[in-house]
Amino acid sequence: VGLAVGRRVLGHHTFSSMHLHTATALLYLAFLSGGDGLRVFRPSSITIRRQVGQLGFATETEWQYAGGKRNPLDPSQPSRTVEASGASVRLFEARLADGSRSLLKEFLGAEARAIGDRELAVYRHLEEEAGGAPDLSVGTLCGHMISDEAFETRGFREAWEASFGLAVPPPAAGRLWLIFRWVPLRTIG
């Protein structure tokens, strides 16, 4: 299976007959069925079209001091601190082999990976309880993948930069990606 980004090809497949959007990273589709009913996608199984956003989280800590008293005027004795994570999850629009649109969530770093693992576990539990894919209003999880060593190759990184520029750093190997069915925004009116 070849891995291509933009119009360059890495591997032994060619995609010259495919029209590729300027900001498209093509990751040729091939997926496996997971034991839990959700598909386990190979990193080579997604067409990444564009970044659509990013998410972060904050860790809030309540402080308690010996003796139960703190000086409210002493900055070294806060009652609460909040630490922002910065961007921890990147969101991408993608296409699967059948042409359906998908939303990818890439989890960056160990803390974000733990959140992604928990989210995947919740979806697995909901699917198990429903006896199949649950009808959820929060999003339909199609499957997941772990990025592999192909993401670390020089050719992939050069092709990624040509498609996305320097503003969107390339993905790294070993990251968890959750793959959701694309649901367009709808207005009431």
Side-chain angles (χ1 to χ4, degrees):
V1 173
L3 177 62
V5 178
R7 295 181 189 269
R8 297 182 187 162
V9 177
L10 311 172
H12 61 273
H13 288 284
T14 59
F15 304 99
S16 58
S17 63
M18 275 187 177
H19 171 67
L20 299 176
H21 184 272
T22 303
T24 298
L26 178 63
L27 306 174
Y28 177 75
L29 183 73
F31 55 85
L32 304 171
S33 175
D36 53 16
L38 295 172
R39 286 187 240 172
V40 179
F41 290 83
R42 291 186 177 139
S44 59
S45 67
I46 306 296
T47 301
I48 300 175
R49 297 183 54 88
R50 65 187 175 101
Q51 185 175 14
V52 295
Q54 57 190 26
L55 303 170
F57 62 91
T59 303
E60 186 174 278
T61 306
E62 294 278 339
W63 295 93
Q64 295 181 356
Y65 297 93
K69 301 235 181 203
R70 75 171 196 84
N71 180 352
L73 301 176
D74 184 353
S76 69
Q77 295 183 350
S79 62
R80 176 180 299 155
T81 57
V82 177
E83 183 179 336
S85 68
S88 301
V89 179
R90 295 193 303 182
L91 306 171
F92 294 92
E93 175 192 351
R95 291 231 182 249
L96 303 179
D98 63 5
S100 62
R101 289 170 76 185
S102 295
L103 174 71
L104 302 182
K105 292 174 74 174
E106 176 194 17
F107 295 87
L108 312 171
E111 285 182 292
R113 172 66 183 262
I115 292 169
D117 286 336
R118 174 55 65 194
E119 185 173 344
L120 180 57
V122 167
Y123 273 95
R124 284 179 171 152
H125 175 74
L126 291 171
E127 182 181 53
E128 183 180 298
E129 290 295 314
D135 183 21
L136 302 172
S137 61
V138 295
T140 302
L141 182 65
C142 300
H144 58 94
M145 73 173 180
I146 305 295
S147 52
D148 66 10
E149 64 280 349
F151 287 76
E152 301 290 335
T153 65
R154 184 173 153 199
F156 177 85
R157 293 189 173 280
E158 288 172 354
W160 181 275
E161 185 177 317
S163 292
F164 291 95
L166 296 174
V168 181
R175 290 196 179 146
L176 173 65
W177 296 65
L178 297 184
I179 303 161
F180 292 86
R181 183 179 328 142
W182 183 271
V183 179
L185 294 175
R186 294 189 174 101
T187 59
I188 300 173

